[in-house]
Amino acid sequence: MRKSALQPPRPSVRYVNPRFQGPAVLAFTAIITIGGVIFWKLVDSEFQWVFPHAAIRGHYTFDSAYDIVRNLLSWHLAGLFFGVFLTGSILVLLLIAATRYGIGKAVDSLRMSANGDLSTPTGTGPIGELDRFGKKIDAARSDTLTSLQKIRSEAAALATGGMSPEEFRLRWDELKHRIRTIAP
Amino acid sequence: MSGPQAAGDAPLVQGQYVFGLLVRLCVNTAGGVGILFVILYLALSRSLPGDYAGIYHALRNLSPFLRPILAVSVLVYALLACGSTAALCIYVLHKVAGPLYRMERVLDQYRSGVPTRTVSFRHDDQIQPLAHAFNQWIGTLHRDRHRWLATMKDAERHCLQDEATCRSEMEAALRKIAEDMARYH
């Protein structure tokens, strides 16, 4: 029997997180649109005088209108390309830097949690989605800390004694059950 | 180096991924500008009339004629470039957005009390150290929980002896657990 028959191929899952990808898409769209508008305004204003000027000059050594505006158009297209690409690159680098910072803080927070620090805030940064993610981590850590503190105080209270064997046994079993609920 | 340790030490966002993103952005931008150039070239490269007067009048009237063509060509450029860049953003950034979404779900499940398993991202996903750090934390909690339960179980074994020994062993176990839990703050 072929391997594929035994093990069906795992479907390719492409997660889309609009809260994370959406602002990036909007920012890139804004850059392209602004670049296009600037290009349009500049080229249009140049076209308004280049062709009448060429008509008045009188020496018609060109075959088409393209020959008149070749250099002008090349420079403006190059400007559009570099303007959009460089601004987009800066946006990419800022996005990556923010992700590195925010996720880096989340990783540090989880590592600190493994060492017992469940109360220092994660502080993932100002970007909406990363900030929300940091708060989720903090909420999970906070829940764990609350649970551990309750168990600890109950264990300390039981250890001091001064209760009937029946009540002690009941609370002992309850405590065991509570401990089982930590990171189930 | 391979395995979990390598995942923990791996960079959050790999340089190769950033470079790939920039290259794709460059190609995308160049494609958009190229399309704009082709449209404008097709509009401007038509031959002018042969005689002197014809060329003069054609050039005089060209500016108002080109205005809507320029506007439409820029609009086409903007739509195509925005569409392809949006698709690029969604395709490339899902390697960060996907793991983030996955971790959010895992954290929600953890908080709701659903049994937590170790998290692993897809092979080519970014932010791999996040999964490693989460697994490290959950692993520590699991180990501590097992140790505390084992301590309690050990104390319960003494209940086969007399009641007083059982109680004192249990109280000692509880003190040990409370001390052990003090490291969490």
Side-chain angles (χ1 to χ4, degrees):
Chain A
M1 197 182 284
R2 286 186 307 173
K3 194 182 175 185
S4 60
L6 285 169
Q7 208 172 36
R10 199 174 151 187
S12 169
V13 182
R14 294 203 186 284
Y15 293 120
V16 175
N17 189 344
R19 282 190 294 262
F20 185 78
Q21 287 147 304
V25 169
L26 286 178
F28 279 112
T29 304
I31 288 170
I32 291 164
T33 308
I34 290 167
V37 169
I38 292 171
F39 173 84
W40 175 41
K41 283 283 173 197
L42 289 175
V43 172
D44 186 50
S45 67
E46 300 242 20
F47 277 8
Q48 295 306 309
W49 68 266
V50 163
F51 294 118
H53 183 72
I56 292 164
R57 270 173 53 196
H59 297 287
Y60 303 141
T61 55
F62 36 79
D63 294 326
S64 65
Y66 176 73
D67 291 336
I68 302 169
V69 292
R70 177 182 293 166
N71 286 340
L72 182 152
L73 209 55
S74 302
W75 280 111
H76 280 95
L77 284 169
L80 176 67
F81 168 74
F82 283 111
V84 170
F85 175 62
L86 289 178
T87 319
S89 299
I90 290 167
L91 179 65
V92 165
L93 295 176
L94 284 175
L95 201 66
I96 296 295
T99 304
R100 277 186 177 144
Y101 178 80
I103 302 295
K105 287 278 183 188
V107 169
D108 290 345
S109 168
L110 289 170
R111 283 179 182 158
M112 282 193 304
S113 302
N115 291 326
D117 181 357
L118 297 169
S119 52
T120 307
T122 301
T124 41
I127 287 191
E129 178 60 6
L130 294 175
D131 184 42
R132 218 174 61 86
F133 182 66
K135 281 179 181 154
K136 282 207 168 194
I137 290 178
D138 284 345
R141 294 166 70 214
S142 173
D143 284 358
T144 308
L145 183 61
T146 307
S147 173
L148 287 170
Q149 279 174 341
K150 275 183 187 165
I151 291 169
R152 189 185 166 211
S153 59
E154 175 68 5
L158 275 176
T160 53
M163 65 190 77
S164 66
E166 291 78 22
E167 192 191 347
F168 181 85
R169 192 73 206 190
L170 199 71
R171 287 172 69 176
W172 171 272
D173 288 339
E174 202 179 310
L175 190 72
K176 258 170 78 177
H177 176 70
R178 272 197 195 173
I179 290 174
R180 281 196 193 100
T181 62
I182 299 168
Chain B
M1 195 162 44
S2 63
Q5 187 61 40
D9 295 339
L12 281 169
V13 182
Q14 291 173 343
Q16 200 181 353
Y17 170 79
V18 180
F19 181 71
L21 182 54
L22 290 176
V23 168
R24 286 185 177 117
L25 182 68
C26 180
V27 171
N28 217 36
T29 312
V33 173
I35 288 167
L36 181 58
F37 168 74
V38 168
I39 297 170
L40 290 174
Y41 177 78
L42 291 175
L44 292 165
S45 63
R46 285 184 301 176
S47 293
L48 293 165
D51 60 319
Y52 191 90
I55 294 174
Y56 176 81
H57 286 294
L59 288 175
R60 291 289 294 175
N61 298 322
L62 202 55
S63 303
F65 170 73
L66 282 175
R67 187 164 260 178
I69 292 175
L70 187 63
V72 169
S73 59
V74 169
L75 188 65
V76 169
Y77 153 76
L79 288 174
L80 286 175
C82 286
S84 58
T85 308
L88 174 73
C89 270
I90 289 168
Y91 174 72
V92 176
L93 291 181
H94 90 279
K95 287 177 183 172
V96 175
L100 212 55
Y101 176 74
R102 173 93 194 277
M103 279 305 302
E104 278 187 21
R105 277 178 49 191
V106 168
L107 287 168
D108 286 341
Q109 285 173 351
Y110 172 78
R111 289 189 71 198
S112 65
V114 174
T116 314
R117 291 160 62 183
T118 54
V119 180
S120 62
F121 298 151
R122 292 165 295 188
H123 175 68
D124 53 349
D125 275 340
Q126 302 298 307
I127 60 171
Q128 296 281 352
L130 185 64
H132 182 260
F134 179 79
N135 293 339
Q136 202 180 348
W137 177 41
I138 293 298
T140 306
L141 284 175
H142 282 174
R143 278 194 298 278
D144 285 350
R145 188 189 64 191
H146 284 304
R147 194 173 60 251
W148 296 328
L149 287 171
T151 306
M152 291 179 92
K153 210 171 179 179
D154 277 348
E156 281 172 345
R157 284 204 189 106
H158 289 91
C159 293
L160 296 172
Q161 299 170 25
D162 62 301
E163 183 68 28
T165 312
C166 170
R167 179 74 177 254
S168 69
E169 286 296 330
M170 281 175 149
E171 284 174 358
L174 289 168
R175 275 192 294 273
K176 195 180 168 194
I177 289 168
E179 272 172 31
D180 208 9
M181 282 183 174
R183 81 183 190 90
Y184 286 102
H185 56 276

